[in-house]
Amino acid sequence: MKAVRIHRYGDADVLDYDDGVPEPAVGPDTVLIRSVATSVNPIDWKIRSGARQKDFPLDLPAILGRDVSGIVEAVGQEVRTFRPGDRVIALADAAYAELVAVPEALVTHLPDGVDPIDAAAIPLVVLTGDQLVRLVVRAQAGQTILVSGALGSVGRAAVHSAKKLGARVIAGVRARQLAEAEGLGADATVALDDAAALDALEPVDGVADTVGGAVAATLLGKVKAGGRFGYASVLPDDAARPAGVEIGRVFAKPDAAKLREFADDIRDGRFVLPVSQRLPLAEVRAAHARLEQGGGGKIVLIP
């Protein structure tokens, strides 16, 4: 099969679009998916560069990618939920490929009415945002939760999950994004690059941070004693840790049921996850370069 592999760590040029790559093995509980699309996430270029080698060591050559949307090609003998021809999505490994093997428990059917190409944008970002809010911040009905980077893919998912849990949500964005953020369904907005607006912000029960850096350090000081601060990016080592505030980081884990819930919400118009670009998988180097430069939005790659 064709797949994108890295044979060494480095910049985007180490991504090789190879032919003749061995197809993944199909075990007893495996669903083999012929990919319709995958997507690029920030963690992909961080792993590729070697920056996250300690957290995510690779056996080289390695295929990157976490998201897959596609058609079931074959199933293992113990698989009962899926059959060849089914439309599915999953949070997977080695997804920059024509064929992706995923354990049955991690796969869910893609509902009718959801574009299978754009569906490749869903898995990692929505599970990260949901688990950030639900498992790390542990948002509850009646609490006030601030989501930073609320217009990003992970931030959008965090806002959506927090609202479904019954929390009052403040969407944190840049000042120039305030008008756009009104469409997120949050209860309020705040400009994260407006020092006066942040100074005037009342303490909150929890923060779901997707921005990191100095913004994260500032927002940490806005959490009430007894509250929780969850982050998906980087919290500076020198950030002051207020007494009585629980701090945790999210590392998304597969959750097929939650993945289907988000797909259903997209189908029904209750959740929107914009896709900025659709590129051939062969152009993965350009996709990585754009994302690494801090732009590009959500990019899907089509084999």
Side-chain angles (χ1 to χ4, degrees):
M1 68 174 182
K2 294 179 180 179
V4 172
R5 298 190 294 183
I6 63 169
H7 297 260
R8 66 187 188 282
Y9 295 104
D11 61 20
D13 288 342
V14 305
L15 293 159
D16 293 325
Y17 189 52
D18 294 337
D19 202 351
V21 178
E23 295 183 2
V26 179
D29 68 341
T30 299
V31 177
L32 184 65
I33 302 171
R34 181 164 292 278
S35 177
V36 169
T38 182
S39 83
V40 183
N41 294 289
I43 191 63
D44 297 350
W45 71 259
K46 294 174 184 176
I47 292 174
R48 182 216 73 221
S49 70
R52 297 296 296 276
Q53 186 175 353
K54 181 178 179 181
D55 296 326
F56 303 99
L58 299 176
D59 291 324
L60 299 174
I63 301 172
L64 303 181
R66 299 300 313 277
D67 301 319
V68 63
S69 170
I71 308 297
V72 175
E73 178 89 353
V75 298
Q77 59 187 14
E78 296 178 4
V79 174
R80 297 291 180 265
T81 309
F82 305 95
R83 60 184 180 182
D86 286 353
R87 302 192 329 152
V88 295
I89 55 173
L91 182 62
D93 291 307
Y96 288 1
E98 290 182 312
L99 294 169
V100 183
V102 189
E104 178 184 19
L106 310 187
V107 183
T108 190
H109 288 97
L110 183 67
D112 292 339
V114 179
D115 183 281
I117 292 176
D118 289 354
I122 298 172
L124 183 60
V125 295
V126 303
L127 292 178
T128 301
D130 172 72
Q131 291 168 19
L132 176 62
V133 163
R134 188 166 49 87
L135 303 181
V136 181
V137 177
R138 287 182 268 173
Q140 299 177 21
Q143 289 185 332
T144 297
I145 305 297
L146 189 151
V147 177
S148 68
L151 280 171
S153 299
V154 174
R156 287 174 180 269
V159 169
H160 186 65
S161 287
K163 289 299 297 179
K164 291 185 80 168
L165 289 167
R168 175 179 180 269
V169 179
I170 302 172
V173 296
R174 295 185 179 93
R176 61 178 173 79
Q177 298 173 314
L178 287 171
E180 184 182 358
E182 295 293 335
L184 289 173
D187 300 279
T189 57
V190 64
L192 299 176
D193 52 355
D194 183 336
L198 288 179
D199 286 343
L201 185 67
E202 295 293 326
V204 296
D205 297 293
V207 169
D209 176 62
T210 74
V211 176
V215 169
T218 298
L219 295 180
L220 184 52
K222 290 295 181 178
V223 182
K224 297 176 182 176
R228 296 182 179 87
F229 179 93
Y231 63 103
S233 185
V234 176
L235 182 62
D237 292 335
D238 59 355
R241 266 98 167 145
V245 175
E246 186 176 322
I247 301 173
R249 188 176 188 180
V250 66
F251 291 95
K253 297 180 180 178
D255 185 336
K258 186 60 68 173
L259 198 54
R260 176 57 191 258
E261 182 182 323
F262 268 91
D264 285 344
D265 285 350
I266 289 174
R267 175 200 61 197
D268 297 338
R270 293 191 295 263
F271 178 62
V272 177
L273 184 61
V275 171
S276 62
Q277 290 183 302
R278 300 163 187 83
L279 298 174
L281 182 59
E283 295 183 23
V284 63
R285 290 181 178 180
H288 267 238
R290 290 173 191 171
L291 197 65
E292 193 168 357
Q293 290 164 7
K298 190 61 184 174
I299 303 173
V300 297
L301 301 172
I302 306 167

